Amino acid sequence: MVIKRRYPIEVTHTYSARQQFNDPKYHWKKWGGFDSLTKEGGEIICGTGNYPRIATKSGTYNTPAPIYVNFGKLGIENGEKLEKITLCFKQKKICTSEDKSPQNFPIFGAPTVRSYNEEIENNKVKAEVLTGVAPSSEYVETKLVYTKMTVHDVNVHDFGFIIRYPANTSSNEGRLAISDVYLEIETNGVDATFSAQLPNKEICEGETFEVTLNVTQNDSNPYTPVFDLNFGEGIEFMKIVRGTGTVKDVSTDPKKHQWQWTSTLTNKKATVTLLFRATKVGTWNFSMLDSMATSKKFSLNISVSKKKINFKTTCRLLETPNIKRVKQGERAVYTIEARTSDSIISELPLEIHFPISAEFENKAELIDENEFKLKDTKTERIVTLNMHVKNQLGILIMDMTFNDSGVYPITITYGGALVDTCLVTVLPVEYDHIAFTRQKITDEDVIESLSTDLDYTAISYAKYVYKQSGKEAELPKLDDYQVRFGVYNGDENVSNDIFLENTTWCSSRETQKLDEFRVKFHYNAKYPVYFVWTIDYIESPFYENITVEFTEPELYETKSNKSYNQAPALYAKPLINHIKGKNYYAEVNLPAKKSTTVVRCHNFNEEAVFRSSKNIVCQGLQVEWDYEVNQQVEIVLEVRVNTFNAGTVKGSRSITLPAPGVGQNTRTRTEAIGGQWDLYGLSPHHFRSDTLNYLWLDVKLNNPTTTDAHVKISNIKLRLFLMDYFDYEYGFEIDGERAEDYGIFFKKMTWDWGTQNDVNYYQTSGTDMTTAYRSNITKKELTLDFNIGNCDLEESGILLEKVVKLFTNKRTLFNKPIPKRIIFDHLPEYEFWFVREDAMEVEEEYGMYNVTCKLVIPEGTARNRAISITGTTGANTGIARVTPSIEGIVNKNGIITINEVNSDQSMIIKNKDEIKEGYFYRIECSTRKVYLTPPNSNITKDITASVQWNSQWFILEDEYQFKSPDSNITSIRFKERQ
């Protein structure tokens, strides 16, 4: 048996009661709170209105109005037998007197409850009437069991009950309450739900599709799902794809099929997916009927449409098909691609609408092969032709040119319907130079990880940024912009045109949102790798307002690589024995004059070491290992450090492992390279807790002899010698080296601001007049006072030696000192370029050294670290004169003339063979050099010899204004001095 519970969907006064409320002879008293009774715990009370009580037996309104409880259609399936219906409700009478004694309660007789629906109302069916029990002073549940109703009686929209109470027979006023009204419906069927699901796609004629059937049992009765499957003639059953049970034809008529699914339940559920074929266009009803238990039915409609043909059209430049835009007068290719699932189709009649400026280069070929016909109107050119289809694929190529620039739609119709539109942008013929930016891969770790003759995939995210009046805006809809990302792996010394022609590009697109771009390329280790992003044509009116934002590209080896054209790796094996410990050797037979492949040791727990303390710096490292050799072998150790701010840096050391002694076959030893103050040529700044990311050790063996060697190696260890450093409020750095990494405690600097001038005077004989006639800025001294100290005096002494070297200038081959740069934390905007002449004044005190260091600043001024870049006018706001760098574009063959108006300085450069219109020039006044670069080229030529003898190398002191009658000056660059 199945028992279901159902709450009312509506509770209200009966229609007749509502009509009779205003007639006192019916004595009806209204109920209130009907809405609450449609759910569990709801309650209604009789005795509302201005006088909220039911009158006494002699009063006017002493009878509760009859109420209609509507349960709606119960939804019992055809074939189910209705055993009984039980109407359940609670009732009580309410005393409205302050004294709640039993004698003060109202008295109501038992209610009569009769079934109701529209047929009963019209006397077509007889109602079933039952009598309840009289209400008491407390809530008591009443259950009335109805057994004479049929499924038809209850499967109507207005099925319910009318509850009618008799009048109050007491002399006491009061109220009446009903709560928790519900039905219990008992049938003899199984409570099961089932459904069928179609795939979320369009189903076309001739295609296969899946239908998934699901059944769930909601009770515990014995049940075996058996379903009759019915579907129209346009659908054909193929097989079970997955799921439980069997599907078989149970029809006794050989001309008809009756498929039936029989299954078993697992956790009260069963599922099966069936494969069907759509054989005919139309809408077909699919149904599943539970034939064994409840005779329930589930159905859905399956729409089968005609096969569609997918069209894709493009119009591209022939030479660079991944660029959407074409050039006026240049050859372009318009391609139509059509795919159909119908293998019968062999020809597609098409109509194509082109702009009036289109010309067809392969017209004769199209006439012969595709029945090409052309019709011109005032606004367009209409082409009709037949596309040939083979193996369900059709491809048609039309060679074209366009005479006028603009943005044009090319539309294609098939069977009178528009199937695709291709927008083509034709650029003016003068658009010639595409703007681009490029980034060279310089990280040696990345380069070493690439293998020649393999395919790689580069990924970058990029977007356009268009700014109007300084604010980001939408791209103008006047052109077909696109971001392109590419990879160049070839010779660097080529022109920009050749560079772009040989770049491997991904597909282009127009986007103002960050989007992924992928490009595959074949790597050649002989050449560098560049990542390239295009922007727009320089000649475009929007070029100045468009930039491209992109992310750092990532490189992955392409999965399609099937062969590695590389020699087998040569290294000591087993690999793990390099670091496993004593007596676990990795061995290798190393041929004469050969080297092993690099073996990388990593994960030295450096992260835990350098993160465990905030201020740790490494002052030295040592690599130790055990080995056994049968002859002389060289070992090369390379320490690589990845830092947060400088990328990856490396330092190396090597040592020769000696041959065995006389009479010995092998030599076994423990060896080490490095020590407490040896960083393999690296800087302490790379080994700080706030800069070091991770490190690793590369090991390589070389056999320089003419005989083969046998080498064993094991127990490789890396020792780090650490030192605490202190974060002082002020410090300094020299050529990027931090003072605190050398144990320096900076106390003060002494520097006279302003210039120190060497002035020559002339005194006129016989007069009191002295005239200053020459003034030159001279060198000045910068004095530093600081302490050097560490754990003990010995270590402080070693640090002192390292500090002395830090402040010592290197020299050229001709002994010219090379200035070093010092930057102070409290003056970050300035840099001082110094030469140390005098020895340091050092005084030992309490285990540390007090140091005074005098530095000579040859320029006599500090430099502003920021570069000033202006156009043709500007100002030098520093206290000293500067020598600028001037850049521009040549407008006249053979000559470049530049004048500075305010100071009357000028320069003339003449060379009729080299200087050509459109070339770029750069004048470096500080080094007195002039360079010339052709357009679209990376090749720069020195033409300093072409500067005329009476020219001046420009010096800027205050306001300046440059003019050039035969070139465009694009920028003036210099660093101010303070």
Side-chain angles (χ1 to χ4, degrees):
M1 296 296 177
V2 178
I3 299 176
K4 297 180 181 179
R5 176 174 290 195
R6 182 78 170 262
Y7 285 92
I9 63 172
E10 176 190 23
V11 181
T12 184
H13 294 107
T14 63
Y15 177 77
S16 59
R18 292 198 299 271
Q19 302 299 317
Q20 299 163 1
F21 275 140
N22 297 325
D23 191 342
K25 73 177 182 179
Y26 292 103
H27 309 289
W28 301 134
K29 189 64 179 177
K30 294 182 179 180
W31 296 74
F34 286 134
D35 290 342
S36 69
L37 211 58
T38 58
K39 55 189 175 182
E40 185 179 3
E43 180 185 65
I44 61 173
I45 295 177
C46 183
T48 61
N50 295 330
Y51 191 76
R53 295 171 186 169
I54 300 173
T56 64
K57 62 182 180 180
S58 59
T60 303
Y61 299 103
N62 62 359
T63 306
I67 60 174
Y68 165 47
V69 182
N70 181 12
F71 287 95
K73 183 178 180 180
L74 298 189
I76 298 175
E77 297 291 335
N78 291 329
E80 285 192 273
K81 182 181 178 182
L82 180 61
E83 293 291 327
K84 62 182 179 180
I85 289 180
T86 303
L87 175 66
C88 308
F89 61 92
K90 294 178 182 178
Q91 61 179 358
K92 72 175 179 179
K93 56 186 179 180
I94 301 171
C95 176
T96 56
S97 172
E98 293 183 4
D99 182 1
K100 305 299 182 184
S101 300
Q103 63 272 15
N104 293 328
F105 275 77
I107 298 174
F108 301 97
T112 57
V113 183
R114 70 185 182 93
S115 60
Y116 175 86
N117 61 30
E118 189 175 350
E119 290 185 346
I120 294 173
E121 180 74 21
N122 296 327
N123 296 318
K124 294 181 180 180
V125 179
K126 188 176 181 180
E128 187 173 357
V129 182
L130 296 178
T131 302
V133 296
S136 61
S137 59
E138 299 294 336
Y139 267 132
V140 176
E141 187 173 43
T142 298
K143 291 191 175 184
L144 302 178
V145 180
Y146 294 81
T147 60
K148 298 178 181 179
M149 297 183 194
T150 67
V151 172
H152 176 76
D153 294 334
V154 300
N155 275 355
V156 292
H157 69 91
D158 55 354
F159 168 70
F161 296 88
I162 293 177
I163 303 175
R164 184 188 298 269
Y165 283 88
N168 182 5
T169 60
S170 168
S171 300
N172 301 316
E173 296 179 330
R175 294 178 184 165
L176 184 63
I178 298 176
S179 73
D180 284 317
V181 179
Y182 63 92
L183 279 183
E184 286 185 347
I185 308 153
E186 186 173 326
T187 64
N188 68 350
V190 174
D191 183 13
T193 56
F194 50 91
S195 63
Q197 292 178 321
L198 283 172
N200 185 22
K201 68 171 187 176
E202 185 179 14
I203 301 172
C204 294
E205 182 184 11
E207 295 180 346
T208 58
F209 63 94
E210 294 179 356
V211 177
T212 300
L213 311 181
N214 302 289
V215 58
T216 301
Q217 185 180 0
N218 303 314
D219 59 18
S220 299
N221 294 326
Y223 177 48
T224 298
V226 179
F227 290 92
D228 290 333
L229 307 180
N230 300 297
F231 37 86
E233 61 176 339
I235 299 173
E236 177 186 1
F237 171 69
M238 304 292 290
K239 64 179 180 177
I240 293 179
V241 179
R242 55 189 172 272
T244 59
T246 60
V247 176
K248 59 183 180 179
D249 188 359
V250 296
S251 175
T252 57
D253 185 349
K255 297 181 179 180
K256 294 183 179 180
H257 294 288
Q258 178 57 65
W259 297 102
Q260 192 175 77
W261 172 44
T262 304
S263 186
T264 56
L265 297 175
T266 302
N267 296 325
K268 296 186 178 182
K269 292 183 179 181
T271 299
V272 69
T273 300
L274 309 178
L275 184 68
F276 293 86
R277 182 188 300 279
T279 59
K280 194 174 181 180
V281 175
T283 300
W284 310 103
N285 182 266
F286 177 94
S287 66
M288 53 188 298
L289 179 70
D290 189 341
S291 60
M292 299 296 291
T294 65
S295 297
K296 290 184 180 179
K297 182 179 180 181
F298 181 90
S299 64
L300 52 79
N301 289 327
I302 300 176
S303 296
V304 178
S305 57
K306 246 191 164 345
K307 294 176 181 177
K308 287 192 174 180
I309 302 172
N310 296 320
F311 286 90
K312 181 181 179 182
T313 58
T314 57
C315 190
R316 301 284 189 267
L317 277 175
L318 178 65
E319 292 78 11
T320 50
N322 57 325
I323 302 180
K324 292 180 182 178
R325 297 183 284 191
V326 302
K327 295 284 288 295
Q328 181 182 344
E330 291 188 8
R331 187 182 174 196
V333 175
Y334 175 69
T335 305
I336 307 172
E337 183 179 296
R339 294 183 181 272
T340 175
S341 56
D342 192 341
S343 58
I344 300 176
I345 295 178
S346 61
E347 203 169 70
L348 297 173
L350 305 178
E351 182 177 283
I352 314 169
H353 296 250
F354 291 94
I356 196 68
S357 62
E359 297 292 342
F360 306 97
E361 301 295 316
N362 61 337
K363 183 176 177 181
E365 177 185 334
L366 293 171
I367 291 173
D368 291 339
E369 297 184 5
N370 302 93
E371 301 179 37
F372 175 96
K373 294 180 182 179
L374 178 63
K375 177 184 177 182
D376 288 340
T377 69
K378 291 183 179 179
T379 58
E380 63 181 353
R381 310 194 79 182
I382 303 173
V383 170
T384 56
L385 49 73
N386 291 324
M387 170 187 272
H388 301 303
V389 178
K390 185 177 181 180
N391 297 327
Q392 300 172 305
L393 174 65
I395 297 178
L396 183 69
I397 296 175
M398 304 177 72
D399 296 338
M400 309 188 62
T401 58
F402 296 89
N403 297 326
D404 293 325
S405 61
V407 181
Y408 305 109
I410 302 176
T411 60
I412 180 171
T413 60
Y414 168 68
L418 178 67
V419 293
D420 199 26
T421 298
C422 169
L423 279 176
V424 58
T425 299
V426 183
L427 297 177
V429 68
E430 61 267 19
Y431 278 34
D432 196 35
H433 300 95
I434 188 76
F436 66 95
T437 184
R438 56 188 165 193
Q439 175 183 324
K440 183 179 181 180
I441 298 180
T442 57
D443 191 324
E444 292 188 10
D445 295 320
V446 175
I447 296 172
E448 286 186 5
S449 67
L450 301 178
S451 299
T452 195
D453 289 331
L454 289 186
D455 294 328
Y456 290 88
T457 299
I459 302 175
S460 177
Y461 289 81
K463 69 172 183 177
Y464 265 120
V465 177
Y466 177 73
K467 290 189 176 180
Q468 202 170 28
S469 302
K471 295 181 179 179
E472 195 165 334
E474 287 191 12
L475 283 168
K477 301 299 181 183
L478 303 175
D479 216 333
D480 187 12
Y481 308 93
Q482 74 273 330
V483 176
R484 278 194 303 160
F485 169 58
V487 176
Y488 178 79
N489 179 211
D491 187 3
E492 291 181 289
N493 299 316
V494 296
S495 67
N496 286 348
D497 289 340
I498 296 175
F499 181 92
L500 291 177
E501 286 175 11
N502 291 277
T503 298
T504 303
W505 300 101
C506 69
S507 60
S508 59
R509 72 197 72 151
E510 174 187 347
T511 175
Q512 282 189 270
K513 293 182 179 179
L514 211 59
D515 203 358
E516 181 187 86
F517 294 81
R518 289 173 175 258
V519 59
K520 293 181 181 180
F521 69 99
H522 192 73
Y523 176 64
N524 188 336
K526 293 194 302 182
Y527 300 109
V529 176
Y530 284 87
F531 297 122
V532 189
W533 295 263
T534 61
I535 303 176
D536 195 13
Y537 280 94
I538 296 175
E539 295 84 359
S540 166
F542 307 108
Y543 165 67
E544 295 292 338
N545 300 331
I546 295 177
T547 58
V548 172
E549 292 184 358
F550 53 86
T551 63
E552 189 74 19
E554 301 174 1
L555 273 178
Y556 298 93
E557 185 178 322
T558 304
K559 292 182 179 179
S560 60
N561 286 320
K562 295 181 179 179
S563 63
Y564 293 77
N565 299 319
Q566 297 174 295
L570 178 64
Y571 57 88
K573 303 174 183 177
L575 201 60
I576 189 62
N577 285 5
H578 282 80
I579 59 174
K580 194 169 183 179
K582 282 185 174 293
N583 303 320
Y584 292 94
Y585 283 100
E587 301 183 48
V588 61
N589 290 316
L590 188 55
K593 297 184 179 181
K594 294 290 185 181
S595 300
T596 63
T597 306
V598 171
V599 172
R600 176 160 294 174
C601 306
H602 59 94
N603 195 13
F604 290 102
N605 205 26
E606 66 274 13
E607 184 175 348
V609 173
F610 283 86
R611 302 297 181 274
S612 61
S613 179
K614 181 180 178 183
N615 298 329
I616 287 289
V617 62
C618 180
Q619 290 290 350
L621 57 89
Q622 183 184 67
V623 179
E624 180 183 294
W625 69 96
D626 299 332
Y627 72 92
E628 179 183 298
V629 294
N630 66 344
Q631 66 169 48
Q632 174 182 320
V633 172
E634 181 192 27
I635 185 169
V636 179
L637 304 176
E638 190 170 82
V639 174
R640 293 175 177 246
V641 183
N642 182 271
T643 65
F644 293 116
N645 51 6
T648 301
V649 294
K650 64 181 180 179
S652 62
R653 293 286 185 266
S654 67
I655 192 172
T656 298
L657 306 180
V662 178
Q664 295 179 327
N665 294 324
T666 60
R667 180 184 180 92
T668 304
R669 291 287 190 277
T670 297
E671 188 60 85
I673 303 180
Q676 185 175 1
W677 304 100
D678 186 358
L679 284 175
Y680 282 45
L682 299 175
S683 163
H685 191 61
H686 299 134
F687 292 87
R688 288 165 53 116
S689 54
D690 59 348
T691 61
L692 185 138
N693 187 14
Y694 54 87
L695 60 86
W696 59 88
L697 171 69
D698 287 347
V699 181
K700 182 179 179 181
L701 299 171
N702 296 326
N703 181 2
T705 69
T706 57
T707 58
D708 296 347
H710 184 79
V711 185
K712 295 182 179 179
I713 188 168
S714 72
N715 202 23
I716 295 177
K717 300 176 183 176
L718 175 66
R719 291 190 177 92
L720 301 177
F721 298 89
L722 306 178
M723 182 184 83
D724 293 328
Y725 69 87
F726 301 95
D727 277 335
Y728 300 113
E729 184 175 0
Y730 298 115
F732 59 85
E733 64 178 57
I734 296 176
D735 288 348
E737 301 282 342
R738 293 296 306 173
E740 59 267 25
D741 294 346
Y742 292 81
I744 293 175
F745 171 62
F746 177 52
K747 294 193 292 187
K748 71 173 183 177
M749 65 168 283
T750 304
W751 168 256
D752 296 329
W753 288 95
T755 57
Q756 180 75 34
N757 298 307
D758 181 12
V759 182
N760 293 332
Y761 298 93
Y762 174 78
Q763 186 169 6
T764 305
S765 178
T767 69
D768 295 330
M769 182 179 295
T770 300
T771 303
Y773 66 90
R774 182 181 293 275
S775 177
N776 295 317
I777 297 175
T778 62
K779 66 181 181 179
K780 285 199 307 185
E781 278 193 354
L782 173 65
T783 304
L784 306 180
D785 292 301
F786 53 85
N787 296 333
I788 301 175
N790 196 29
C791 298
D792 54 42
L793 189 59
E794 180 182 355
E795 289 190 358
S796 297
I798 295 174
L799 287 173
L800 176 61
E801 293 175 2
K802 295 169 74 71
V803 170
V804 171
K805 184 176 180 180
L806 179 65
F807 278 92
T808 300
N809 302 91
K810 293 181 180 180
R811 294 180 293 174
T812 66
L813 292 175
F814 302 101
N815 290 330
K816 178 182 176 181
I818 301 173
K820 285 192 168 185
R821 182 182 69 171
I822 185 170
I823 299 172
F824 295 94
D825 294 348
H826 63 292
L827 297 170
E829 65 271 29
Y830 299 114
E831 56 188 26
F832 299 82
W833 292 82
F834 70 85
V835 173
R836 184 174 64 82
E837 292 183 359
D838 300 331
M840 294 183 177
E841 299 176 15
V842 182
E843 178 183 353
E844 186 270 326
E845 181 180 11
Y846 304 117
M848 66 171 55
Y849 294 99
N850 298 326
V851 180
T852 299
C853 180
K854 296 180 180 179
L855 306 176
V856 175
I857 312 300
E859 294 179 343
T861 61
R863 293 184 191 175
N864 197 317
R865 294 176 66 192
I867 299 176
S868 297
I869 304 176
T870 73
T872 55
T873 61
N876 170 21
T877 61
I879 63 173
R881 295 183 294 183
V882 296
T883 50
S885 172
I886 303 172
E887 296 180 359
I889 303 173
V890 178
N891 283 344
K892 185 177 179 181
N893 291 336
I895 187 169
I896 302 171
T897 305
I898 300 176
N899 301 309
E900 200 288 298
V901 177
N902 295 342
S903 61
D904 199 23
Q905 301 176 78
S906 64
M907 174 178 283
I908 300 174
I909 308 165
K910 288 185 176 181
N911 190 320
K912 64 180 180 179
D913 297 324
E914 299 290 347
I915 300 175
K916 297 180 180 179
E917 184 180 353
Y919 277 34
F920 299 89
Y921 65 82
R922 185 175 83 253
I923 302 171
E924 297 289 354
C925 294
S926 59
T927 58
R928 298 199 170 197
K929 292 285 185 180
V930 179
Y931 302 98
L932 198 64
T933 304
N936 302 321
S937 172
N938 297 324
I939 302 172
T940 298
K941 187 171 184 179
D942 187 340
I943 59 166
T944 306
S946 301
V947 178
Q948 299 300 292
W949 66 271
N950 57 345
S951 297
Q952 296 160 297
W953 296 94
F954 297 100
I955 297 174
L956 306 181
E957 189 163 12
D958 294 310
E959 304 284 333
Y960 57 82
Q961 182 180 0
F962 284 90
K963 290 186 177 181
S964 176
D966 38 42
S967 73
N968 291 336
I969 299 174
T970 57
S971 68
I972 310 294
R973 301 168 181 258
F974 57 88
K975 279 189 175 182
E976 294 182 345
R977 298 165 61 189
Q978 300 292 341

